[in-house]
Amino acid sequence: MAKRTVSLQLLLLVVYGVCVPASAQVCRLLSQPALPLLSAERDINIGAIFSIHISALLKMYPFTTKPEPTTCVSLSLREFKFAQTLIFAIEEINNSTQLLPGISLGYKIYDSCGSIAQAIFSGMALMNGYEETLSDTSCSRPPEIYVIFIILITVYRIFFLISHFATCACLSNRKRYPSFFRTIPSDFYQSRALAQLVKHFGWTWVGTVRSRSDYGNNGIAAFEEAAKKEGICIEYSETILRTDPQEQLLKTLEVIKKGTARVVLAFVALRDFFPLVNVIAQHNITGLQWVGSESWITSRTVAETKEYSFLSGAVGFAIANAKLVGLREFLVNVHPDQEPKIELLKEFWETAFQCSFRNSGSGGCTGSERLAELQNEYTDVSELRIANKVYTAVYAVAHTLHNVLKDFRSSTNSSKRERPTPQKVLEYMRNVRFTVKTGEEIFFDGSGDPVARYDLVNWQPAGNGGLQFKHVGVYDSSLASEHRLQVNQEHVLWAGNSGQLPVSMCSESCLPGTRKAVKKRQPVCCYDCIPCAEGEISNGTGKDRCILKVVEFLSYTEIMGMLLCVFSFIGVLLTALVSFLFYLHKETPIVRANNSELSFLLLFSLSLCFLCSLTFIGRPTEWSCMLRHTAFGITFVLCISCVLGKTIVVLMAFRATLPGNNVMKWFGPAQQRLSVISLTLIQVIICVLWLTISPPFPYLNSSYYREKIILECNLGSAFGFWAVLGYTGLLSVLCFVLAFLARKLPDNFNEAKFITFSMLIFCAVWLTFIPAYVSSPGKFTVAVEIFAILASSFGLLFCIFAPKCYIILLKPEKNTKKQMMGKSSIKAL
């Protein structure tokens, strides 16, 4: 609400005492004092100022630019309800045996009449009294009314103010307003909550409208500061006041119409809001998403006006609602006959029932009307957001007085009784903490403010053609920042009765691969999207700059690369151990019977196979790309050639045992060496042609991922790669077929069986490699290829050499010429 230390919306709570010594001169009031509209004087009196009436000129001419009038005419049922809530709270406290026992609270309720001047006049009357001439023994009140506080405080006047409706953040300044407290949250919290709400819905481009007052100016200033931190931009910021001429309102309307922001935040006092929405309704401006401040977001007068249906879908924070048990019964029991001398009660009755006690016929008040049968703003207790703040303000004073009196009474027997100075009483107020019957805990922070708790409300169509308030979330400043705002977004109805969340951005989000470029003399939310250079990508958060894409390749430092390296070295180590074992037993029958020369060459080639897998790991370079594929192709052909030679030896050796067959002379050691060299040379020629015509080269591949680049080896000539792989596969299949044919030869130790198993594993690995290689993305392609190399190498090593090592180490009795020759002697080679 608007900042008014003593204003039409300010509840003033004053605790009085004697202030002048007996020798002082007589005090005389300078003018006729204001009189309370409602009062009941008791031991301690609470003073209050409400805007119970509005002025005649303001009612007749809501757009007037003339000075504020002081003639009060039209009674406000809402403000009268606040006054009755104060009386309700006081009566509850007086009937309580726990709070202020033996002390009776009274009240004096004044009217500000919607005028700052009248509010100040009433405030002075509260402090000075309403006698024209005051005695020299008291310049404030008749002493018998304040017996308790005359005893308690004999020198000082103590007063403090508690507001139920003043929300200006400026009032939190303890240096300027040390005795000010409030039960309604400061706009500082509401502004931050609104910024967080706008951010939550993804709106980065909004327009604002504010009241040209402390309420609007300070509220929007705090919002803009919080919005800037959240990355929200303000397209325009318009100001309005209820006294603005029509031309000024039309200019504001034109700015809203021309704006590109689809979200409008209205931090506007309720009375300033009416002229604006009237103009908008006349010009049929729709499609805007309104975000409201607590001043108007729960106004039934606005919501129930059918002409304002364009506000459907509006969202905003309202003061947390509460339920006060017994309040409605108290409200409907108000009757003019209770206090016949109080004209305000008769006026209230006439306003509530639209009748007059001066008329005896139709339209006249009889007094038999029943408030319980009325359905209006006064009897409705479903929305007690502000009334609850009046209620808690009264209890805050009562608890403070209770603590003061409790400590004072406990020290009455002390010879040095300490007087509660004004600073001491204010200290009691600052430290007061209690829980009201609604379950809410009340206390004040260092600035005299309560915990900020808001209900998020959404305006949705009602059955009568108006709008209703739907509770769709909460905001609680006492929670951690990430948990303060909680929204049930699925229950929110947006502008135009749409279920689709509106979009309000100055510029659309930049696509991946483009960056933001802020437009000159434009807010940061307005930008162009510029493509990033080759090999760059926009950063993933703000996309406000281009950064180099992450270059990915199979590295030695990552877990997968480390594991593959470990298995490669394990393969080399096992191959070396087998070679060493064969060398130590090179003269034994099992080594000589299986062609020791080819066995050692095979072990050497297997070592190269294990080592060539390392060339696939690390950052690809021009040389490493050429080396990895050619080394792989040549070493594997050398390995398969040795296995093929061993297989042929087995077949030829069996035929040599037949009578008259001398075939082994055509496949002796020289021919075996020549066959291995010849078969390997063919692969070398293929690799040389591949490297000469179109060799592999490093390539930055960005087709797999947008956010990173795969550094891989381009094959250059795909035909060369598949020729190398095809030739290796051809030799493997030939070796498998020959070994399969020789698997049942009648040898005690038939190596062809083990060659068959090894080549079966080899072929299976490389057949599954092809689809995996084609479909694997990025560095996983390299990992698949290394896995195939290692798996096939381990298959050859284990299947061919493990049985021999088993006999050499664990079954030496079988490692004899007799055991090896058996019934069908095979010549050892």
Side-chain angles (χ1 to χ4, degrees):
M1 290 296 102
K3 170 201 166 187
R4 292 172 181 176
T5 306
V6 184
S7 67
L8 65 152
Q9 304 295 356
L10 182 64
L11 173 60
L12 230 158
L13 301 175
V14 188
V15 180
Y16 304 93
V18 177
C19 69
V20 181
S23 61
Q25 296 181 356
V26 173
C27 299
R28 182 178 299 277
L29 299 177
L30 295 178
S31 62
Q32 184 65 30
L35 298 176
L37 295 184
L38 297 170
S39 65
E41 298 187 4
R42 296 183 179 123
D43 298 332
I44 301 174
N45 295 299
I46 295 177
I49 299 176
F50 295 102
S51 182
I52 297 177
H53 293 86
I54 61 173
S55 64
L57 190 60
L58 185 61
K59 182 179 180 182
M60 295 172 61
Y61 306 104
F63 309 118
T64 182
T65 58
K66 295 182 179 181
E68 292 190 59
T70 57
T71 305
C72 305
V73 290
S74 181
L75 183 140
S76 169
L77 292 177
R78 179 172 181 260
E79 296 289 325
F80 185 79
K81 180 180 180 178
F82 293 163
Q84 292 300 319
T85 303
L86 180 139
I87 299 172
F88 169 72
I90 289 176
E91 293 302 322
E92 267 193 352
I93 294 168
N94 288 339
N95 293 329
S96 171
T97 59
Q98 302 297 323
L99 189 59
L100 287 175
I103 303 298
S104 179
L105 293 180
Y107 55 88
K108 291 182 181 295
I109 300 175
Y110 286 77
D111 188 7
S112 69
C113 195
S115 165
I116 295 177
Q118 183 63 27
I120 295 174
F121 196 53
S122 298
M124 295 303 295
L126 272 170
M127 290 185 286
N128 293 328
Y130 45 86
E131 299 175 3
E132 274 194 45
T133 302
L134 301 176
S135 67
D136 59 354
T137 59
S138 173
C139 66
S140 60
R141 296 291 181 273
E144 65 273 8
I145 299 177
Y146 304 100
V147 173
I148 298 301
F149 262 65
I150 287 175
I151 295 173
L152 179 62
I153 306 169
T154 59
V155 177
Y156 296 94
R157 169 182 296 171
I158 299 175
F159 67 92
F160 50 86
L161 303 96
I162 300 185
S163 174
H164 69 293
F165 217 34
T167 59
C168 181
C170 57
L171 294 170
S172 298
N173 189 330
R174 302 310 289 166
K175 292 184 178 179
R176 295 187 63 184
Y177 311 106
S179 59
F180 178 80
F181 300 87
R182 52 183 159 194
T183 54
I184 193 170
S186 164
D187 285 333
F188 171 76
Y189 297 102
Q190 182 185 186
S191 299
R192 295 175 67 184
L194 287 170
Q196 194 170 343
L197 179 72
V198 171
K199 177 67 174 180
H200 176 82
F201 293 133
W203 300 325
T204 58
W205 188 238
V206 300
T208 63
V209 180
R210 68 181 187 273
S211 291
R212 199 179 309 115
S213 63
D214 286 341
Y215 172 69
N217 293 336
N218 292 323
I220 285 297
F223 170 79
E224 289 179 350
E225 182 181 353
K228 185 177 180 180
K229 295 178 181 178
E230 298 287 356
I232 301 167
C233 298
I234 310 297
E235 182 182 14
Y236 55 83
S237 185
E238 291 294 300
T239 63
I240 59 173
L241 200 63
R242 65 176 180 270
T243 56
D244 283 344
Q246 190 77 358
E247 295 77 16
Q248 182 64 38
L249 292 171
L250 290 175
K251 288 181 180 179
T252 299
L253 180 64
E254 194 64 23
V255 171
I256 296 175
K257 286 174 60 178
K258 290 182 178 180
T260 58
R262 294 294 86 199
V263 176
V264 181
L265 171 66
F267 213 104
V268 182
L270 179 60
R271 290 181 180 176
D272 295 334
F273 196 52
F274 281 113
L276 177 64
V277 292
N278 283 333
V279 172
I280 294 176
Q282 292 169 9
H283 290 78
N284 194 27
I285 306 300
T286 59
L288 295 176
Q289 176 62 51
W290 289 87
V291 180
S293 61
E294 49 81 26
S295 174
W296 65 267
I297 201 64
T298 53
S299 170
R300 291 198 177 276
T301 305
V302 178
E304 293 175 357
T305 303
K306 295 182 180 179
E307 290 75 16
Y308 302 156
S309 60
F310 61 87
L311 292 173
S312 178
V315 293
F317 289 108
I319 303 303
N321 205 357
K323 183 179 181 181
L324 299 178
V325 178
L327 178 61
R328 190 176 193 279
E329 290 74 12
F330 182 86
L331 294 176
V332 298
N333 283 332
V334 173
H335 196 278
D337 293 342
Q338 293 174 343
E339 297 288 345
K341 294 181 180 180
I342 300 179
E343 292 297 324
L344 180 64
L345 296 180
K346 293 181 180 179
E347 183 183 0
F348 157 70
W349 201 265
E350 291 175 341
T351 303
F353 292 101
Q354 295 295 300
C355 62
S356 175
F357 283 105
R358 292 181 291 273
N359 296 337
S360 57
S362 61
C365 295
T366 64
S368 61
E369 296 86 359
R370 293 177 54 84
L371 284 174
E373 297 175 356
L374 281 181
Q375 294 293 331
N376 60 16
E377 190 174 13
Y378 177 76
T379 60
D380 181 19
V381 293
S382 62
E383 296 284 338
L384 296 177
R385 303 179 189 276
I386 306 303
N388 181 51
K389 301 308 173 185
V390 177
Y391 180 84
T392 53
V394 176
Y395 268 87
V397 173
H399 278 274
T400 299
L401 295 177
H402 182 86
N403 294 337
V404 170
L405 292 173
K406 181 180 178 181
D407 288 354
F408 174 75
R409 287 168 177 168
S410 65
S411 62
T412 53
N413 296 328
S414 174
S415 58
K416 295 182 180 180
R417 185 173 60 191
E418 183 181 350
R419 296 172 179 174
T421 62
Q423 292 76 14
K424 190 68 173 177
V425 174
L426 290 177
E427 188 66 26
Y428 277 102
M429 191 67 185
R430 295 187 190 104
N431 295 327
V432 70
R433 183 183 289 263
F434 60 95
T435 302
V436 292
K437 64 181 181 180
T438 60
E440 181 182 6
E441 186 179 23
I442 307 298
F443 60 92
F444 302 103
D445 62 16
S447 300
D449 297 328
V451 172
R453 294 186 179 93
Y454 296 100
D455 290 340
L456 180 63
V457 297
N458 179 220
W459 288 25
Q460 300 185 5
N464 58 2
L467 299 171
Q468 62 179 342
F469 309 134
K470 179 75 172 180
H471 184 277
V472 293
V474 294
Y475 180 88
D476 190 340
S477 65
S478 65
L479 302 177
S481 57
E482 63 273 15
H483 300 301
R484 289 176 182 174
L485 178 63
Q486 300 177 26
V487 182
N488 297 323
Q489 193 163 327
E490 63 275 9
H491 296 152
V492 178
L493 189 66
W494 302 107
N497 299 330
S498 169
Q500 186 68 31
L501 175 67
V503 176
S504 187
M505 296 187 295
C506 183
S507 301
E508 294 292 332
S509 299
C510 289
L511 297 174
T514 62
R515 67 171 179 87
K516 298 177 182 178
V518 179
K519 298 179 180 179
K520 290 184 178 180
R521 293 182 290 276
Q522 292 285 333
V524 295
C525 297
C526 302
Y527 48 82
D528 294 319
C529 295
I530 299 178
C532 293
E534 185 68 26
E536 292 183 336
I537 191 170
S538 52
N539 59 325
T541 52
K543 294 185 179 177
D544 53 355
R545 67 183 186 276
C546 291
I547 59 175
L548 289 175
K549 291 182 179 180
V550 176
V551 178
E552 184 181 74
F553 55 88
L554 185 59
S555 170
Y556 288 105
T557 58
E558 59 182 297
I559 295 178
M560 184 164 58
M562 291 180 181
L563 289 176
L564 293 174
C565 285
V566 169
F567 281 108
S568 177
F569 287 122
I570 290 174
V572 173
L573 179 62
L574 291 176
T575 306
L577 291 175
V578 172
S579 301
F580 181 71
L581 184 64
F582 267 46
Y583 179 78
L584 292 178
H585 299 83
K586 61 183 179 181
E587 300 299 332
T588 60
I590 196 169
V591 175
R592 299 182 69 241
N594 288 279
N595 199 319
S596 59
E597 186 174 339
L598 286 182
S599 295
F600 281 111
L601 186 58
L602 176 57
L603 288 170
F604 172 72
S605 62
L606 282 175
S607 298
L608 295 179
C609 289
F610 283 119
L611 290 174
C612 80
S613 64
L614 298 177
T615 62
F616 288 83
I617 305 174
R619 188 181 188 89
T621 63
E622 185 175 350
W623 285 101
S624 67
C625 286
M626 290 189 294
L627 177 62
R628 64 173 55 172
H629 291 97
T630 54
F632 151 72
I634 294 172
T635 55
F636 261 82
V637 164
L638 177 62
C639 181
I640 299 301
S641 298
C642 293
V643 176
L644 182 60
K646 291 172 69 66
T647 306
I648 294 175
V649 167
V650 172
L651 286 173
M652 295 301 103
F654 177 74
R655 289 183 177 274
T657 60
L658 299 176
N661 194 329
N662 196 22
V663 71
M664 282 304 299
K665 69 179 181 178
W666 301 106
F667 205 75
Q671 290 82 2
Q672 296 171 26
R673 299 187 194 98
L674 183 62
S675 66
V676 171
I677 294 173
S678 301
L679 293 174
T680 306
L681 184 60
I682 295 174
Q683 184 76 302
V684 172
I685 294 172
I686 296 174
C687 289
V688 170
L689 290 174
W690 182 16
L691 296 179
T692 303
I693 298 172
S694 182
F697 58 90
Y699 171 66
L700 295 172
N701 190 342
S702 58
S703 60
Y704 283 122
Y705 307 103
R706 290 183 179 272
E707 68 278 4
K708 57 185 176 181
I709 298 175
I710 304 300
L711 179 56
E712 60 186 9
C713 287
N714 189 292
L715 295 176
S717 172
F719 177 80
F721 172 75
W722 292 110
V724 169
L725 198 63
Y727 180 68
T728 306
L730 177 64
L731 292 182
S732 302
V733 172
L734 178 61
C735 185
F736 172 74
V737 171
L738 294 177
F740 182 78
L741 294 176
R743 75 190 187 282
K744 292 185 178 181
L745 291 178
D747 295 344
N748 282 357
F749 189 86
N750 189 351
E751 193 176 22
K753 295 179 182 179
F754 306 116
I755 293 176
T756 303
F757 288 133
S758 65
M759 298 315 300
L760 184 62
I761 293 174
F762 186 93
C763 293
V765 167
W766 287 100
L767 285 176
T768 56
F769 158 77
I770 294 175
Y773 179 84
V774 173
S775 61
S776 298
K779 64 181 180 181
F780 297 103
T781 303
V782 179
V784 167
E785 194 165 359
I786 296 175
F787 176 79
I789 293 172
L790 294 178
S792 55
S793 299
F794 275 113
L796 289 173
L797 180 64
F798 288 136
C799 290
I800 294 177
F801 294 99
K804 301 174 183 178
C805 293
Y806 173 77
I807 292 176
I808 293 173
L809 295 175
L810 301 178
K811 298 290 184 179
E813 67 276 7
K814 292 185 177 182
N815 192 6
T816 60
K817 185 175 181 180
K818 180 179 180 181
Q819 286 290 330
M820 296 303 300
M821 299 297 292
K823 295 181 180 180
S824 53
S825 299
I826 300 176
K827 183 179 178 181
L829 299 172

